[in-house]
Amino acid sequence: MKKYILTLDEGTTSARAIIFDRFGNTVSVAQHEFRQLYPLASYVEHDPQEIFTKQYTAMTEAVLKTDIDPLEIAAIGITNQRETTVVWNKNTGEPVYNAIVWQCRRTTEFCEKLIADGYSDYISDTTGLKIDAYFSGTKINWILNNVEGAKAAAKNGELLFGTIDTWLLWKLSGGKIHATDYTNASRTMLFDIHKLEFDKKLLDILDIPESMLPEVKPSAHFFGEIQFMGANIPVCSIAGDQQSALFGQGCFMEGDTKNTYGTGCFLLMNTGNSAFKSQNGLITTLACTADNESPQYALEGSVFVGGAVIQWLRDELKIIKTAIESERLANKTSSNGGVYIVPAFSGLGAPYWDMRARGTICGLTRGSGRPELARAALEAIAYQSEDLLSSMRADTKIPLKTLKADGGAAANNFLMQFQSDVSNITVSCPKSLEATALGAAFLAGLTVGFWQDKSELLSLISADRSFSPKISGAEREKQLLGWHKAVNAAKAFNSELGGGD
Ligand code: ADP
């Protein structure tokens, strides 16, 4: 009798393994951090072998911590940090270089050249993405051009490329399976999200041989069996972390939207079978589907400085000792007292896209103190998320009913209520904030019939806290006006016009 699903949740800083039961409850968790390598300023790397070892150890420990027999595991699901790029030799199994992490900016110049050469429209029409160093394509190109012998070996068919899901699956299957899913492929800047295949013209432009690329399948799919602790277990899902969270939050229908409030915030709206092209700098990406389902799309936007502004209050301003204290402090005052913080520490993202803007605090008076600053910092997380939501509303004309929230900062009730007020939307937080891992478990469970359908999955997600708007339309407009004036101030303080960096 199969009783469990095992999810591998491979993030940017740690590899986790989580075992879920039939009710979607977490039965066991094991986690191992791995090293962040910074060989040069703006370069970020991971050691792929270390990631695999840490992931394998976490899987083994998650089982050993309980009395679960591996034969009771119905399926494995994989969810992972997206875009991070590994290139390895298929004969030796050795990576030819470290994994180049999504945060790494080393290919910025190459991206600027692609923009100058006029590829922006082609790339956004084909892949749904803005040309950026963030995505895998230019990272593969960098490895092939900078590692001795790599280009010739790639042309000879000896090298394979994978995002971390693909690398883990290849390793777990003893080099037998070289595959990924649509959600990860849609972050490579090489994948045609309409035709669901790698685009030959982009492979030519980036000089990447097709033989390096993995097979691409829907997220809920039988990828193959692996041997683990004496059992043969099928790997039945792969999904990039944000799309997995969208699924784990039960956002199955057009218009369903989730926001993950972590260090940054990731907002995704399910747009059903329509791939909307954003007029506001959002990204169009593939969402999770099963075999025989037509493709589903999502609009995605991110807030660069989300929970990080609370870390800044704690570590730099030292006005709080713990993140949770921000809520108590914010509740000490009934308004922000006219104070707005725009945490544009490294510029402003969507919908402003102003990389020269810098952080600003506006509206200070002699009476402004710690409570007003704490409140303004939490409000800034919500205002930035509202800017993305209003872009999504404008791009899709789809009405937004509920925002499903997860991530560490979603524990903050002040923030959740303020988001509801400022966005005029119901905000709902599930009991388990493990939406990312749960999404991959749901997808794997559907594939093997562990769970029957999406309505059964919805019955497993229990809402814990829910927040409804409590302010008037006039009050909301006044607050948003204040925020947008503060954003204009941050933009006016152009770091390249002196006084900046
Ligand atoms: P990540 O996955 O990006 O590491 P997490 O989901 O673990 O992030 O959330 C951590 C972030 O959330 C930190 O930036 C922290 O400052 C913020 N955070 C955690 N708890 C709270 C809280 N109660 N109130 C506000 N922010 C919080």
Side-chain angles (χ1 to χ4, degrees):
M1 176 62 178
K2 305 287 185 191
K3 294 185 192 154
Y4 305 103
I5 302 282
L6 169 60
T7 294
L8 315 186
D9 178 3
E10 193 289 323
T12 306
T13 55
S14 75
R16 302 199 308 150
I18 302 163
I19 301 177
F20 293 98
D21 67 13
R22 281 193 181 272
F23 305 101
N25 295 321
T26 301
V27 183
S28 181
V29 184
Q31 175 164 8
H32 283 279
E33 293 199 358
F34 47 80
R35 287 171 305 149
Q36 307 292 312
L37 308 168
Y38 305 106
L40 286 174
S42 89
Y43 278 35
V44 191
E45 299 178 359
H46 294 152
D47 173 352
Q49 300 285 21
E50 182 187 1
I51 290 185
F52 175 70
T53 309
K54 296 279 164 82
Q55 186 67 71
Y56 200 84
T57 309
M59 286 166 74
T60 312
E61 284 177 6
V63 173
L64 292 178
K65 274 182 177 181
T66 63
D67 54 7
I68 292 171
D69 182 333
L71 291 167
E72 294 175 312
I73 298 173
I76 290 175
I78 301 177
T79 179
N80 57 292
Q81 53 166 322
R82 303 174 301 175
E83 298 103 11
T84 297
T85 298
V86 188
V87 174
W88 68 97
N89 184 305
K90 71 177 182 190
N91 302 315
T92 64
E94 285 298 319
V96 302
Y97 192 77
N98 274 335
I100 302 186
V101 179
W102 57 273
Q103 298 150 324
C104 185
R105 306 302 302 166
R106 78 183 66 193
T107 59
T108 301
E109 252 179 52
F110 182 38
C111 289
E112 284 165 359
K113 181 170 183 311
L114 291 173
I115 294 167
D117 289 348
Y119 290 118
S120 296
D121 282 345
Y122 182 77
I123 288 185
S124 97
D125 289 345
T126 311
T127 68
L129 307 175
K130 283 164 67 79
I131 296 176
D132 197 276
Y134 190 57
F135 305 110
S136 319
T138 59
K139 298 182 196 289
I140 307 174
N141 172 283
W142 189 95
I143 292 175
L144 298 188
N145 284 314
N146 289 277
V147 175
E148 211 187 312
K151 187 165 259 174
K155 296 222 151 104
N156 257 340
E158 291 162 34
L159 301 191
L160 300 179
F161 151 74
T163 37
I164 299 287
D165 53 309
T166 305
W167 165 246
L168 289 177
L169 182 60
W170 193 84
K171 291 285 286 179
L172 287 168
S173 66
K176 291 202 184 78
I177 311 170
H178 184 224
T180 190
D181 83 307
Y182 292 150
T183 67
N184 277 292
S186 71
R187 318 295 298 188
T188 58
M189 218 174 83
L190 301 170
F191 197 69
D192 185 325
I193 60 169
H194 310 286
K195 294 189 188 145
L196 302 183
E197 60 190 29
F198 286 110
D199 182 75
K200 295 215 164 40
K201 180 168 163 185
L202 283 172
L203 294 177
D204 268 358
I205 294 167
L206 295 176
D207 201 12
I208 296 171
E210 208 173 344
S211 58
M212 295 180 72
L213 302 174
E215 263 193 277
V216 192
K217 301 289 180 188
S219 303
H221 172 80
F222 173 76
F223 284 90
E225 251 178 15
I226 64 155
Q227 287 189 340
F228 175 60
M229 297 178 82
N232 289 333
I233 309 180
V235 176
C236 288
S237 75
I238 292 181
D241 51 9
Q242 296 308 323
Q243 286 97 329
S244 187
L246 188 70
F247 201 84
Q249 282 270 29
C251 293
F252 303 144
M253 309 287 288
E254 184 185 271
D256 287 353
T257 306
K258 72 93 195 175
N259 195 9
T260 301
Y261 294 84
T263 312
C265 301
F266 286 91
L267 238 163
L268 271 78
M269 177 200 253
N270 181 330
T271 63
N273 300 129
S274 323
F276 285 95
K277 191 169 173 192
S278 176
Q279 303 303 316
N280 296 288
L282 302 173
I283 281 166
T284 311
T285 199
L286 281 159
C288 298
T289 45
D291 292 325
N292 306 321
E293 250 186 306
S294 46
Q296 290 213 5
Y297 297 89
L299 266 184
E300 173 171 330
S302 48
V303 170
F304 300 152
V305 180
V309 70
I310 303 302
Q311 290 165 264
W312 177 71
L313 292 187
R314 187 192 62 194
D315 301 340
E316 310 304 328
L317 298 194
K318 300 194 193 315
I319 66 168
I320 49 171
K321 288 208 172 63
T322 58
I324 207 154
E325 205 186 327
S326 64
E327 181 171 350
R328 201 165 38 81
L329 204 50
N331 278 324
K332 279 195 174 162
T333 169
S334 58
S335 87
N336 63 11
V339 178
Y340 291 86
I341 298 179
V342 184
F345 299 149
S346 51
L348 285 163
Y352 308 106
W353 292 110
D354 183 345
M355 294 306 140
R356 294 176 310 268
R358 282 297 174 269
T360 309
I361 305 180
C362 290
L364 292 172
T365 62
R366 181 63 185 81
S368 310
R370 291 165 65 231
E372 284 75 18
L373 287 176
R375 193 168 172 125
L378 288 168
E379 289 184 358
I381 302 174
Y383 281 128
Q384 294 177 93
S385 301
E386 165 54 22
D387 282 338
L388 297 176
L389 285 170
S390 75
S391 304
M392 287 179 180
R393 289 188 197 102
D395 281 333
T396 64
K397 313 281 184 287
I398 297 174
L400 278 170
K401 289 158 272 168
T402 303
L403 178 66
K404 309 226 178 136
D406 58 89
N412 189 308
N413 290 323
F414 172 85
L415 172 60
M416 296 296 100
Q417 181 60 51
F418 191 76
Q419 187 74 71
S420 170
D421 288 340
V422 84
S423 300
N424 197 21
I425 199 171
T426 301
V427 176
S428 146
C429 304
K431 201 174 274 164
S432 158
L433 295 176
E434 300 273 13
T436 305
L438 193 57
F442 280 172
L443 290 158
L446 279 181
T447 310
V448 286
F450 188 77
W451 291 301
Q452 294 312 310
D453 52 27
K454 289 178 182 166
S455 59
E456 184 180 359
L457 298 181
L458 287 175
S459 75
L460 301 176
I461 304 170
S462 43
D464 183 29
R465 292 167 293 138
S466 176
F467 304 83
S468 316
K470 286 198 177 128
I471 61 170
S472 67
E475 180 64 15
R476 180 174 307 117
E477 261 174 46
K478 195 173 132 213
Q479 292 182 343
L480 284 168
L481 184 68
W483 166 252
H484 289 127
K485 276 164 69 179
V487 168
N488 284 336
K491 290 169 72 153
F493 193 84
N494 181 324
S495 61
E496 282 177 12
L497 295 180
D501 310 320

